[in-house]
């Protein structure tokens, strides 16, 4: 067997394996949408799962969109998520640039401390954070959901790695022209950081939008509930007795993430491609 023929067969095999895994990953999502359009699923969940509903209808989605609590939870999640994303991405860009191009004492130690924060999961921090926000009387507000997201070790690490790929000669040329650090960052490096910024937006958006445990701890007022909290409360109240409505609600809850990813996917691909290019 020739090398080209073996390479061609290997390519087909890889494609087939990726296709199988892609179908397996998409199957639960497709089933969720199918049940959401199945009006009879409010009586009994279809078993075995089927790809197309027997009684296709937009009834479940019309009921979901008429629900005032869903709209309120969407507005709450939108405010928390957009604010968190803006603050997290902005601080990560500044910190990543400082750790990559800056020269100051203790830079390596500070960066190691930032990386160490990645080893601490959210669960051990729940009680200290709760006591902290309780002491300043900020429980049952959106601030406990926004402020902790300002410093994100993973985003800072990704941003530093991206800026490491950009050549130092750009900064040196700007310094020769008399530009200060802030001018160099905002006018030279920030415009080049679009791909990594898009990646960080996706990651921080998903983390904030899907966050369930921490909002559950700090928000007892139903008027402040985010989409995951409302979805959980709806599921617990109705269970499988309203399976169609529950799945329609779950479908609606993930739509913003899908739309944002489709809009930013080309920038994410650019950031992955650029990560393999080292500037001299």
């Amino acid at each position: 067997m020739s090398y080209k023929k073996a390479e061609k067969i290997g390519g087909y095999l890889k494609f087939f394996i990726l296709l199988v895994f892609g179908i397996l990953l998409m199957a639960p999502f497709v089933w969720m949408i199918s049940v959401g359009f199945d009006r009879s699923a409010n009586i009994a969940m279809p078993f075995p799962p089927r790809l197309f509903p027997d009684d296709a209808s937009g009834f479940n989605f019309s009921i979901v969109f008429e629900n005032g609590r869903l709209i309120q939870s969407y507005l709450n999640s939108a405010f928390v998520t957009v604010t968190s994303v803006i603050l997290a991405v902005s601080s990560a860009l500044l910190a990543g640039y400082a750790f990559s191009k800056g020269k100051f004492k203790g830079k390596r130690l500070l960066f190691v401390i930032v990386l160490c924060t990645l080893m601490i999961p959210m669960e051990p921090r729940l009680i200290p954070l709760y006591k902290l926000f309780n002491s300043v009387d900020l429980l049952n507000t959106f601030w406990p959901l926004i402020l902790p997201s300002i410093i994100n070790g993973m985003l800072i690490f990704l941003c530093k790695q991206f800026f490491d790929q950009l050549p130092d000669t750009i900064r040196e040329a700007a310094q020769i022209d008399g530009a200060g650090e802030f001018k160099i960052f905002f006018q030279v490096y920030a415009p080049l950081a679009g791909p990594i910024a898009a990646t960080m937006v996706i990651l921080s958006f998903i983390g904030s939008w899907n966050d369930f445990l921490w909002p559950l701890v700090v928000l007892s007022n139903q008027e402040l509930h985010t989409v995951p909290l409302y979805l959980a409360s709806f599921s617990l109240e109705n269970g499988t007795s309203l399976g169609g409505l529950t799945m329609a609600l779950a479908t609606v809850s993930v739509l913003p993430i899908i739309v944002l990813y489709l809009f930013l996917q080309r920038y994410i691909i650019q950031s992955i491609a650029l990560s393999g290019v080292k500037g001299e």
Side-chain angles (χ1 to χ4, degrees), residues 64-131:
V64 163
F65 282 111
E66 291 174 1
N67 193 311
R69 281 190 59 195
L70 172 64
I71 297 174
Q72 183 62 48
S73 65
Y74 244 87
L75 294 175
N76 295 340
S77 285
F79 174 76
V80 170
T81 302
V82 170
T83 307
S84 299
V85 167
I86 292 174
L87 294 176
V89 173
S90 300
S91 64
L93 286 171
L94 290 168
Y97 173 77
F99 282 123
S100 176
K101 305 300 181 184
K103 296 180 181 180
F104 53 90
K105 290 183 179 181
K107 183 175 78 170
R108 289 189 177 182
L109 177 61
L110 287 175
F111 187 63
V112 169
I113 294 174
V114 169
L115 294 181
C116 288
T117 62
L118 301 177
M119 305 177 190
I120 307 174
M122 185 61 187
E123 288 76 7
R125 293 182 285 161
L126 283 178
I127 295 177
L129 282 174
Y130 182 88
K131 294 181 69 175

Side-chain angles (χ1 to χ4, degrees), residues 173-231:
Q175 287 177 328
I176 293 174
D177 290 338
E181 288 296 341
F182 281 99
K183 188 174 183 179
I184 293 173
F185 172 76
F186 286 106
Q187 295 189 7
V188 178
Y189 280 93
L192 299 175
I196 193 63
T199 303
M200 293 192 296
V201 166
I202 284 289
L203 293 176
S204 56
F205 188 96
I206 292 174
S208 180
W209 185 269
N210 290 338
D211 193 11
F212 173 76
L213 182 59
W214 179 234
L216 180 65
V217 172
V218 298
L219 298 179
S220 58
N221 186 354
Q222 287 190 351
E223 296 297 323
L224 300 177
H225 277 187
T226 55
V227 171
L229 292 181
Y230 173 66
L231 178 59

Side-chain angles (χ1 to χ4, degrees), residues 145-163:
L145 307 183
I146 296 172
L147 295 179
S149 64
I150 295 178
I151 306 300
N152 189 311
M154 176 57 72
L155 299 187
I156 293 174
F157 172 75
L158 291 176
C159 203
K160 177 188 179 301
Q161 294 300 107
F162 178 83
F163 283 127

Side-chain angles (χ1 to χ4, degrees), residues 32-33 36-37 57-66 244-245 247-249 251-252 255:
M32 177 181 69
I33 297 176
F37 280 102
S57 170
F59 171 79
N60 294 327
F61 287 93
S62 64
I63 295 297
V64 163
F65 282 111
E66 291 174 1
L245 284 173
M247 290 300 183
L249 180 59
T251 302
V252 171
L255 280 179

